[in-house]
Amino acid sequence: MATEKIILGIDPGTTIMGFGIIKVINKQMHFVQMNELMLKKYDDPYTKLKLIFERTIELIDTFHPDEIAIEAPFYGKNVQSMLKLGRAQGVAMAAGLSRQIPITEYMPKKIKMAITGNGNASKEQVAKMLQSVLKLKSLPKNLDSTDGLAAAVCHFYNEGKVELGKSYTGWEAFIKQNPGKINKQ
């Protein structure tokens, strides 16, 4: 009997949220879709968060992923950027958790390493490797969608390995794994 799983990968962002979907049939990856949610035209940060949540719910309801892989925000030079990215990631995670979908978080270097073998690979190198592995005819202009796809492929490659990123199966699991981070009123 064929085993089948759908993995949604998300590259959260407040200007562009990239996402990619793969289907795994008998341990073989098949490309389903990649795209991006363009948020540049919205000035209000709360509108952006609402749109990220709604688009993630729409993707879940359309493709019925079994698991979600999401890129973790990383600390660069700008703390404000990281906070914005963290909010975007949190909203996408909340959408998945609201539908009881297991979520695994991966650091950008871990995703790049899984796809190219080099944790310092460029977005272009990651995209080219995905194009080769998944036999994609062309690559998008913006590489945020390939970053989302890379999260899904990274999750597939890391399946069954002991040390994954942080995983949550629902709100209760999230709260248990993050004691003291929830502000109790």
Side-chain angles (χ1 to χ4, degrees), residues 110-125:
K110 175 123 179 161
I111 294 172
K112 291 173 181 180
M113 185 70 162
I115 305 303
T116 68
N118 176 2
N120 295 315
S122 68
K123 281 178 169 276
E124 292 77 16
Q125 289 170 317

Side-chain angles (χ1 to χ4, degrees), residues 11-29:
D11 175 30
T14 54
T15 14
I16 301 174
M17 177 184 92
F19 60 88
I21 302 162
I22 58 171
K23 182 183 273 192
V24 180
I25 304 169
N26 293 329
K27 299 185 181 183
Q28 293 286 319
M29 266 190 305

Side-chain angles (χ1 to χ4, degrees), residues 52-68:
I52 291 167
F53 183 86
E54 289 172 350
R55 182 65 175 132
T56 305
I57 289 289
E58 183 183 323
L59 289 167
I60 291 167
D61 291 347
T62 302
F63 293 98
H64 309 287
D66 298 288
E67 297 170 5
I68 296 174

Side-chain angles (χ1 to χ4, degrees), residues 18-83:
F19 60 88
I21 302 162
I22 58 171
K23 182 183 273 192
V24 180
I25 304 169
N26 293 329
K27 299 185 181 183
Q28 293 286 319
M29 266 190 305
H30 302 276
F31 171 75
V32 175
Q33 185 187 59
M34 71 175 155
N35 209 332
E36 51 215 14
L37 172 63
M38 302 302 283
L39 298 161
K40 291 177 187 170
K41 63 183 174 187
Y42 302 99
D43 292 328
D44 180 40
Y46 302 110
T47 299
K48 291 179 180 190
L49 294 175
K50 177 180 178 281
L51 292 168
I52 291 167
F53 183 86
E54 289 172 350
R55 182 65 175 132
T56 305
I57 289 289
E58 183 183 323
L59 289 167
I60 291 167
D61 291 347
T62 302
F63 293 98
H64 309 287
D66 298 288
E67 297 170 5
I68 296 174
I70 191 162
E71 186 174 307
F74 64 96
Y75 179 70
K77 293 178 182 149
N78 188 333
V79 176
Q80 286 301 315
S81 293
M82 186 175 176
L83 287 171

Side-chain angles (χ1 to χ4, degrees), residues 5 11 19 84 86 163:
K5 178 194 306 191
D11 175 30
F19 60 88
K84 288 176 186 174
E163 189 192 324

